[in-house]
Amino acid sequence: MRVEIWSDIACPWCYVGKARFERALASFPHRDSVEVVHRSFELDPDRAKGDTTPVITMLTRKYGMSEAQAEAAEDGVGAQAGAEGLEYRTRGRDHGNTFDMHRLLHFAKAEGRQDELIGLLYRANFAEEESVFDSDDRLVALAAEAGLDADAARAVLADPTAYADDVRADEREAAELGANGVPFFVLDRTYGVSGAQPAEVFEQALTQAWGNRSPLTVLSADGADACGPDGCAVPGA
Amino acid sequence: MRVEIWSDIACPWCYVGKARFERALASFPHRDSVEVVHRSFELDPDRAKGDTTPVITMLTRKYGMSEAQAEAAEDGVGAQAGAEGLEYRTRGRDHGNTFDMHRLLHFAKAEGRQDELIGLLYRANFAEEESVFDSDDRLVALAAEAGLDADAARAVLADPTAYADDVRADEREAAELGANGVPFFVLDRTYGVSGAQPAEVFEQALTQAWGNRSPLTVLSADGADACGPDGCAVPGA
């Protein structure tokens, strides 16, 4: 079974939802048969690279909150993150454009290091002081920590077309699948789970998707050359 | 869309079928949205490591053929491979245990180099003189050619438990999906295509699977915290 998770590094509920999903997965009996793939979704695709704002400021502008209200909101998210055992800095975080991080995640996917990198990006954005925005050096260091070649990661960041199509393709697919928010979890392209649901909901979804795996429709079983336990189709045999 | 291909390096129809599938994929309009994953299937899992036999000898024993008949059979496969533009040595190839190659392919998958390695293993087994069986040096050289770290590949080969569970899991899944021979192609876990079918059959299967992608069943869309284009669920907002 395959679970695809659309998310954005700038999305606190993606950070929390990933932890809840992983808790559910850890107790799922068929967890060794579950592959997880991370897909790109930008919360703020129109925000220019370099247009980085403190999260608290962004919240006051976006929701017309007072600064105290925005801080209380961040405290609320932080409490839910804390309940999942996640560190969450409720003050001093930045919000900005995440396209480069998504490009880097696709490079990491090609190198078999996506899971490592997304975990480090979340940790860096939500739990560490240094901003992940507008610093190739910071992203290169995280890429290297994820096991990627630092020079190759720097080259990806320096070329704005590198893996850009992969990011756009993920975002197009999200729209086709009906996802208009993240995190969005897709199980075997059959079941969808939207939002940072409780772990119990993910447990139920995994169980239901596993139980309802449908038999294949075999489009062409007859006649073609194949090999099996009894040997291969042999011309002239 | 995802296509999983169960195959064995020792399976000539897998070699031919992969080329036919790739020809179909190259002309498929949505090819950029198709991911291909290779899965393990051993044709001869009970054959001990080191029990390597010339293919011609294996054919005479397995099918009670004369040597001339076995050579004619290999010529027949070679002709079909040639029609796909593949090199195929009809004399002097070996048959043996492929478990280590499958373990190495899973290591390559973890490193994002599976496609490169499987292509090189097929070429080595079917088109080159030096045997791929019973030689860690040969496999390490191919792994390095595929972009893998040679020392890491050697360590995988030296540890018979490394990636062994992944190979077994693939084989268990093949059985669950009803595959009793290879190549076996599975499209989005919904459609199956068995054998080295003509490219036209793969074209039809890709088209049909693409057209019949079903809408997701959303198991839980309500209420959970999420972020979207209009912002995130904000505690206290």
Side-chain angles (χ1 to χ4, degrees), chain B residues 47-192:
Chain B
R47 180 177 289 265
K49 185 174 170 175
D51 180 9
T52 297
T53 320
V55 165
I56 299 292
T57 307
M58 181 271 289
L59 290 173
T60 58
R61 288 184 190 156
K62 189 153 198 154
Y63 301 96
M65 292 171 155
S66 70
E67 195 158 307
Q69 286 171 320
E71 290 178 352
E74 274 292 271
D75 289 343
V77 181
Q80 296 215 39
E84 291 299 322
L86 298 170
E87 283 185 72
Y88 190 97
R89 295 178 70 239
T90 59
R91 303 291 182 276
R93 286 199 307 112
D94 280 340
H95 180 73
N97 180 292
T98 55
F99 193 63
D100 282 355
M101 290 183 234
H102 286 294
R103 293 195 301 108
L104 200 60
L105 281 164
H106 275 280
F107 169 59
K109 178 162 177 262
E111 300 285 323
R113 293 289 179 274
Q114 191 190 42
D115 210 52
E116 290 82 349
L117 183 61
I118 199 166
L120 292 171
L121 286 171
Y122 276 132
R123 190 199 70 192
N125 185 44
F126 291 110
E128 295 175 359
E129 188 164 349
E130 191 182 348
S131 179
V132 290
F133 296 97
D134 310 323
S135 167
D136 283 3
D137 287 346
R138 176 77 164 130
L139 295 181
V140 167
L142 292 165
E145 192 178 346
L148 293 163
D149 180 79
D151 291 338
R154 191 174 295 279
V156 167
L157 291 170
D159 173 7
T161 68
Y163 298 96
D165 288 349
D166 296 290
V167 178
R168 297 298 178 222
D170 278 358
E171 295 180 332
R172 213 164 40 239
E173 273 200 312
E176 288 168 5
L177 290 166
N180 43 31
V182 284
F184 193 78
F185 301 77
V186 175
L187 294 76
D188 267 352
R189 288 287 166 119
T190 306
Y191 296 97

Side-chain angles (χ1 to χ4, degrees), chain A residues 2 13 35 39 63 65 73 110-113 180-182 190-193 196-197 217 219-220 224-225 227 229 231-235, chain B residues 2 13 35 39 63 73 110-113 180-182 190-193 196-197 217 219-220 224-225 227 229 231-235:
Chain A
R2 185 169 65 151
W13 297 119
E35 287 177 77
R39 303 262 181 226
Y63 301 96
M65 292 171 156
E111 301 284 324
R113 293 288 179 277
N180 44 30
V182 284
T190 307
Y191 295 97
V193 177
Q197 301 278 350
T217 301
L219 294 176
S220 50
D225 296 316
C227 299
C232 295
V234 178
Chain B
R2 185 168 66 151
W13 296 120
E35 286 177 78
R39 302 263 180 225
Y63 301 96
E111 300 285 323
R113 293 289 179 274
N180 43 31
V182 284
T190 306
Y191 296 97
V193 177
Q197 302 277 351
T217 301
L219 294 176
S220 50
D225 295 317
C227 299
C232 295
V234 177

Side-chain angles (χ1 to χ4, degrees), chain A residues 114-164:
Chain A
Q114 191 189 43
D115 209 52
E116 289 83 349
L117 183 61
I118 199 167
L120 292 172
L121 286 171
Y122 276 131
R123 190 199 68 192
N125 186 44
F126 290 110
E128 294 176 0
E129 186 163 353
E130 192 182 347
S131 178
V132 289
F133 296 97
D134 311 320
S135 167
D136 283 5
D137 288 345
R138 175 79 164 130
L139 295 181
V140 167
L142 292 165
E145 191 178 346
L148 294 162
D149 180 79
D151 291 338
R154 191 175 293 281
V156 167
L157 291 170
D159 173 6
T161 68
Y163 298 96

Side-chain angles (χ1 to χ4, degrees), chain A residues 1-2 4 10-14 20 32-33 35 37 39 41 43 59 62-63 65 69-70 72-77 80 109-113 169 172-173 176-178 180-198 201 204-206 208-210 213-237, chain B residues 1-2 4 10-14 20 32-33 35 37 39 41 43 59 62-63 65 69-70 72-74 76-77 80 109-113 166 169 172-173 176-178 180-198 201 204-206 208-210 213-237:
Chain A
M1 189 156 72
R2 185 169 65 151
E4 296 162 281
C11 158
W13 297 119
C14 299
R20 289 179 181 166
D32 291 340
S33 300
E35 287 177 77
V37 180
R39 303 262 181 226
F41 190 105
L43 283 184
L59 289 173
K62 190 154 197 153
Y63 301 96
M65 292 171 156
Q69 286 171 321
E74 276 290 273
D75 289 341
V77 181
Q80 296 215 36
K109 179 162 177 260
E111 301 284 324
R113 293 288 179 277
R172 215 165 37 240
E173 273 200 312
E176 287 168 6
L177 290 166
N180 44 30
V182 284
F184 193 79
F185 301 77
V186 175
L187 293 76
D188 267 350
R189 287 288 166 121
T190 307
Y191 295 97
V193 177
S194 175
Q197 301 278 350
V201 171
Q204 288 162 18
L206 286 164
Q208 186 166 344
W210 185 266
R213 286 171 307 152
S214 51
L216 297 179
T217 301
V218 177
L219 294 176
S220 50
D222 57 314
D225 296 316
C227 299
D230 299 328
C232 295
V234 178
Chain B
M1 189 156 73
R2 185 168 66 151
E4 296 163 281
C11 158
W13 296 120
C14 299
R20 290 179 180 164
D32 292 340
S33 300
E35 286 177 78
V37 180
R39 302 263 180 225
F41 189 106
L43 283 183
L59 290 173
K62 189 153 198 154
Y63 301 96
M65 292 171 155
Q69 286 171 320
E74 274 292 271
V77 181
Q80 296 215 39
K109 178 162 177 262
E111 300 285 323
R113 293 289 179 274
D166 296 290
R172 213 164 40 239
E173 273 200 312
E176 288 168 5
L177 290 166
N180 43 31
V182 284
F184 193 78
F185 301 77
V186 175
L187 294 76
D188 267 352
R189 288 287 166 119
T190 306
Y191 296 97
V193 177
S194 174
Q197 302 277 351
V201 171
Q204 288 162 18
L206 286 165
Q208 186 165 344
W210 185 266
R213 286 172 306 153
S214 52
L216 296 179
T217 301
V218 177
L219 294 176
S220 50
D222 58 315
D225 295 317
C227 299
D230 298 327
C232 295
V234 177

